[in-house]
PDB file of all heavy atoms in Angstrom:
ATOM      1  N   MET B   2     117.181  42.891  31.515  1.00  0.00           N
ATOM      2  CA  MET B   2     118.328  42.244  30.865  1.00  0.00           C
ATOM      3  C   MET B   2     118.155  40.736  30.819  1.00  0.00           C
ATOM      4  O   MET B   2     118.468  40.093  29.817  1.00  0.00           O
ATOM      5  CB  MET B   2     119.628  42.584  31.616  1.00  0.00           C
ATOM      6  CG  MET B   2     120.234  43.919  31.228  1.00  0.00           C
ATOM      7  SD  MET B   2     120.514  44.058  29.445  1.00  0.00           S
ATOM      8  CE  MET B   2     122.027  43.110  29.306  1.00  0.00           C
ATOM      9  N   ASP B   3     117.651  40.226  31.935  1.00  0.00           N
ATOM     10  CA  ASP B   3     117.463  38.771  32.003  1.00  0.00           C
ATOM     11  C   ASP B   3     116.497  38.295  30.940  1.00  0.00           C
ATOM     12  O   ASP B   3     116.716  37.277  30.306  1.00  0.00           O
ATOM     13  CB  ASP B   3     116.928  38.381  33.398  1.00  0.00           C
ATOM     14  CG  ASP B   3     118.043  38.408  34.421  1.00  0.00           C
ATOM     15  OD1 ASP B   3     119.208  38.519  34.000  1.00  0.00           O
ATOM     16  OD2 ASP B   3     117.743  38.337  35.623  1.00  0.00           O
ATOM     17  N   LEU B   4     115.438  39.075  30.807  1.00  0.00           N
ATOM     18  CA  LEU B   4     114.417  38.712  29.829  1.00  0.00           C
ATOM     19  C   LEU B   4     115.027  38.723  28.420  1.00  0.00           C
ATOM     20  O   LEU B   4     114.811  37.827  27.617  1.00  0.00           O
ATOM     21  CB  LEU B   4     113.247  39.693  29.902  1.00  0.00           C
ATOM     22  CG  LEU B   4     112.051  39.349  29.024  1.00  0.00           C
ATOM     23  CD1 LEU B   4     111.344  38.107  29.550  1.00  0.00           C
ATOM     24  CD2 LEU B   4     111.076  40.507  28.954  1.00  0.00           C
ATOM     25  N   LEU B   5     115.835  39.769  28.184  1.00  0.00           N
ATOM     26  CA  LEU B   5     116.488  39.897  26.875  1.00  0.00           C
ATOM     27  C   LEU B   5     117.418  38.719  26.630  1.00  0.00           C
ATOM     28  O   LEU B   5     117.443  38.128  25.551  1.00  0.00           O
ATOM     29  CB  LEU B   5     117.293  41.205  26.852  1.00  0.00           C
ATOM     30  CG  LEU B   5     117.406  41.878  25.482  1.00  0.00           C
ATOM     31  CD1 LEU B   5     116.034  42.321  25.005  1.00  0.00           C
ATOM     32  CD2 LEU B   5     118.353  43.058  25.560  1.00  0.00           C
ATOM     33  N   LYS B   6     118.165  38.383  27.675  1.00  0.00           N
ATOM     34  CA  LYS B   6     119.102  37.260  27.585  1.00  0.00           C
ATOM     35  C   LYS B   6     118.355  35.978  27.261  1.00  0.00           C
ATOM     36  O   LYS B   6     118.779  35.172  26.435  1.00  0.00           O
ATOM     37  CB  LYS B   6     119.847  37.092  28.921  1.00  0.00           C
ATOM     38  CG  LYS B   6     121.264  37.643  28.879  1.00  0.00           C
ATOM     39  CD  LYS B   6     121.987  37.239  30.143  1.00  0.00           C
ATOM     40  CE  LYS B   6     123.024  38.268  30.528  1.00  0.00           C
ATOM     41  NZ  LYS B   6     123.377  38.166  31.950  1.00  0.00           N
ATOM     42  N   LEU B   7     117.213  35.833  27.948  1.00  0.00           N
ATOM     43  CA  LEU B   7     116.416  34.633  27.770  1.00  0.00           C
ATOM     44  C   LEU B   7     115.945  34.522  26.322  1.00  0.00           C
ATOM     45  O   LEU B   7     115.947  33.450  25.727  1.00  0.00           O
ATOM     46  CB  LEU B   7     115.208  34.697  28.724  1.00  0.00           C
ATOM     47  CG  LEU B   7     114.561  33.355  29.064  1.00  0.00           C
ATOM     48  CD1 LEU B   7     115.461  32.537  29.973  1.00  0.00           C
ATOM     49  CD2 LEU B   7     113.214  33.584  29.730  1.00  0.00           C
ATOM     50  N   LEU B   8     115.573  35.679  25.778  1.00  0.00           N
ATOM     51  CA  LEU B   8     115.081  35.692  24.399  1.00  0.00           C
ATOM     52  C   LEU B   8     116.218  35.479  23.404  1.00  0.00           C
ATOM     53  O   LEU B   8     116.043  34.860  22.368  1.00  0.00           O
ATOM     54  CB  LEU B   8     114.379  37.026  24.100  1.00  0.00           C
ATOM     55  CG  LEU B   8     112.990  37.164  24.694  1.00  0.00           C
ATOM     56  CD1 LEU B   8     112.474  38.587  24.506  1.00  0.00           C
ATOM     57  CD2 LEU B   8     112.011  36.180  24.069  1.00  0.00           C
ATOM     58  N   MET B   9     117.387  36.035  23.751  1.00  0.00           N
ATOM     59  CA  MET B   9     118.519  35.959  22.840  1.00  0.00           C
ATOM     60  C   MET B   9     119.193  34.591  22.897  1.00  0.00           C
ATOM     61  O   MET B   9     119.866  34.196  21.951  1.00  0.00           O
ATOM     62  CB  MET B   9     119.572  37.024  23.183  1.00  0.00           C
ATOM     63  CG  MET B   9     119.090  38.438  23.035  1.00  0.00           C
ATOM     64  SD  MET B   9     118.895  38.886  21.318  1.00  0.00           S
ATOM     65  CE  MET B   9     120.621  39.160  20.904  1.00  0.00           C
ATOM     66  N   ARG B  10     119.004  33.954  24.045  1.00  0.00           N
ATOM     67  CA  ARG B  10     119.739  32.711  24.233  1.00  0.00           C
ATOM     68  C   ARG B  10     119.405  31.701  23.140  1.00  0.00           C
ATOM     69  O   ARG B  10     118.240  31.428  22.874  1.00  0.00           O
ATOM     70  CB  ARG B  10     119.403  32.116  25.601  1.00  0.00           C
ATOM     71  CG  ARG B  10     120.372  30.988  25.975  1.00  0.00           C
ATOM     72  CD  ARG B  10     119.941  30.326  27.256  1.00  0.00           C
ATOM     73  NE  ARG B  10     118.605  29.772  27.130  1.00  0.00           N
ATOM     74  CZ  ARG B  10     117.944  29.192  28.129  1.00  0.00           C
ATOM     75  NH1 ARG B  10     118.474  29.154  29.322  1.00  0.00           N
ATOM     76  NH2 ARG B  10     116.744  28.691  27.938  1.00  0.00           N
ATOM     77  N   LYS B  11     120.440  31.223  22.523  1.00  0.00           N
ATOM     78  CA  LYS B  11     120.209  30.260  21.465  1.00  0.00           C
ATOM     79  C   LYS B  11     121.161  29.094  21.657  1.00  0.00           C
ATOM     80  O   LYS B  11     122.366  29.235  21.532  1.00  0.00           O
ATOM     81  CB  LYS B  11     120.447  30.930  20.105  1.00  0.00           C
ATOM     82  CG  LYS B  11     119.760  30.198  18.974  1.00  0.00           C
ATOM     83  CD  LYS B  11     119.853  31.005  17.693  1.00  0.00           C
ATOM     84  CE  LYS B  11     120.162  30.074  16.552  1.00  0.00           C
ATOM     85  NZ  LYS B  11     121.367  30.335  15.833  1.00  0.00           N
ATOM     86  N   LYS B  12     120.598  27.988  21.999  1.00  0.00           N
ATOM     87  CA  LYS B  12     121.446  26.819  22.157  1.00  0.00           C
ATOM     88  C   LYS B  12     121.919  26.393  20.762  1.00  0.00           C
ATOM     89  O   LYS B  12     121.145  26.370  19.824  1.00  0.00           O
ATOM     90  CB  LYS B  12     120.651  25.694  22.804  1.00  0.00           C
ATOM     91  CG  LYS B  12     121.539  24.679  23.495  1.00  0.00           C
ATOM     92  CD  LYS B  12     120.713  23.702  24.305  1.00  0.00           C
ATOM     93  CE  LYS B  12     121.063  22.296  23.890  1.00  0.00           C
ATOM     94  NZ  LYS B  12     119.942  21.492  23.468  1.00  0.00           N
ATOM     95  N   GLU B  13     123.200  26.098  20.653  1.00  0.00           N
ATOM     96  CA  GLU B  13     123.702  25.706  19.345  1.00  0.00           C
ATOM     97  C   GLU B  13     123.097  24.365  18.938  1.00  0.00           C
ATOM     98  O   GLU B  13     123.084  23.418  19.719  1.00  0.00           O
ATOM     99  CB  GLU B  13     125.227  25.608  19.371  1.00  0.00           C
ATOM    100  CG  GLU B  13     125.798  25.582  17.976  1.00  0.00           C
ATOM    101  CD  GLU B  13     127.327  25.559  17.964  1.00  0.00           C
ATOM    102  OE1 GLU B  13     127.933  25.592  19.034  1.00  0.00           O
ATOM    103  OE2 GLU B  13     127.880  25.505  16.874  1.00  0.00           O
TER     104      GLU B  13
END
Side-chain angles (χ1 to χ4, degrees):
Chain B
M2 277 305 281
D3 283 349
L4 186 69
L5 211 64
K6 257 189 210 159
L7 202 71
L8 284 172
M9 297 288 283
R10 193 186 59 184
K11 201 172 138 239
K12 203 171 126 235
E13 196 177 358

